[in-house]
Amino acid sequence: MAIEPRAFLTTMETRIGLTAEDKKVMQANADWGTAVAEEMADHFYAFLGRDEEMNGILNATEGRVHRLHATFIDWFNQMFTGMDNWGDDYAKCRWHIGLIHVKIGIGPQHVVPAMAVVVDKVGRKLKADGKSDELKDALAKVCMIDLAFIEQAYVEVSSSAVLRETGWSAALFRRLIATGAASM
């Protein structure tokens, strides 16, 4: 049930409505993104650090928070540049980020509100700096695409683990999930 990152990115761009114009707006504002990336990382990790469970995950190993802070800055900058104009490298990178979230235990219950903080704080910064609504909208779309990659990683890893351990077919697994959801 593993996804192909580039195909997933293309699907998400279509579903979310990320356009070529959105990408141009993002790239034209890459310097601004670089200038505010650290501030956004500070907001992001301050928010996560207030949660006891998340704080434990962030500080589980020596230097993890520092490394994650630097990774966030890279991630934030890459949203503006698209790395390779939102191509294969971007898709593979976003998929890898999703897998890392699963691996270290940063669950959807933490990722979704943290992304909401990023969208809110960057929206406030955009307004304070007199940036356009087009940039705000484009950035929100890219954030949601990146969030979709993280969320999909949980689905793919969980599904793959169940299928591998049980020997079930993907069709049986989907039917059991649908039946289980209907009973709740």
Side-chain angles (χ1 to χ4, degrees):
M1 294 179 79
I3 68 164
E4 194 289 304
R6 183 67 177 104
F8 186 75
L9 176 60
T10 300
T11 299
M12 291 301 100
E13 286 179 353
T14 301
R15 286 185 182 155
I16 291 173
L18 184 70
T19 65
E21 185 58 36
D22 290 326
K23 293 174 182 180
K24 288 178 189 172
V25 168
M26 292 293 291
Q27 290 170 333
N29 287 278
D31 288 344
W32 181 85
T34 298
V36 303
E38 186 157 349
E39 178 184 345
M40 294 304 116
D42 291 343
H43 288 302
F44 184 78
Y45 287 106
F47 172 79
L48 290 175
R50 289 192 297 265
D51 180 271
E52 184 178 337
E53 180 184 4
M54 195 62 234
N55 191 51
I57 292 168
L58 292 174
N59 291 292
T61 60
E62 183 69 33
R64 179 181 274 174
V65 171
H66 179 72
R67 288 188 306 277
L68 290 173
H69 196 276
T71 300
F72 179 99
I73 291 169
D74 289 342
W75 165 78
F76 194 83
N77 289 326
Q78 291 166 357
M79 284 195 301
F80 285 86
T81 66
M83 294 173 67
D84 59 347
N85 200 35
W86 293 271
D88 290 342
D89 290 343
Y90 189 88
K92 288 175 187 172
C93 179
R94 280 3 197 204
W95 181 241
H96 179 73
I97 288 169
L99 293 174
I100 294 300
H101 278 79
V102 175
K103 182 179 177 180
I104 66 174
I106 302 174
Q109 73 274 18
H110 299 295
V111 173
V112 173
M115 185 66 85
V117 166
V118 171
V119 170
D120 176 62
K121 296 296 185 183
V122 80
R124 292 172 191 243
K125 185 69 174 167
L126 285 161
K127 186 175 181 177
D129 290 353
K131 295 293 184 177
S132 70
D133 285 342
E134 290 79 17
L135 176 57
K136 181 180 179 184
D137 293 344
L139 184 54
K141 290 174 186 179
V142 174
C143 282
M144 292 306 103
I145 289 169
D146 285 8
L147 181 59
F149 267 100
I150 294 168
E151 295 294 306
Q152 193 64 34
Y154 283 97
V155 171
E156 298 296 328
V157 168
S158 299
S159 300
S160 176
V162 168
L163 294 176
R164 189 173 48 254
E165 291 296 318
T166 63
W168 294 344
S169 70
L172 173 61
F173 183 66
R174 284 191 295 274
R175 190 171 64 246
L176 291 171
I177 295 296
T179 301
S183 71
M184 295 185 124

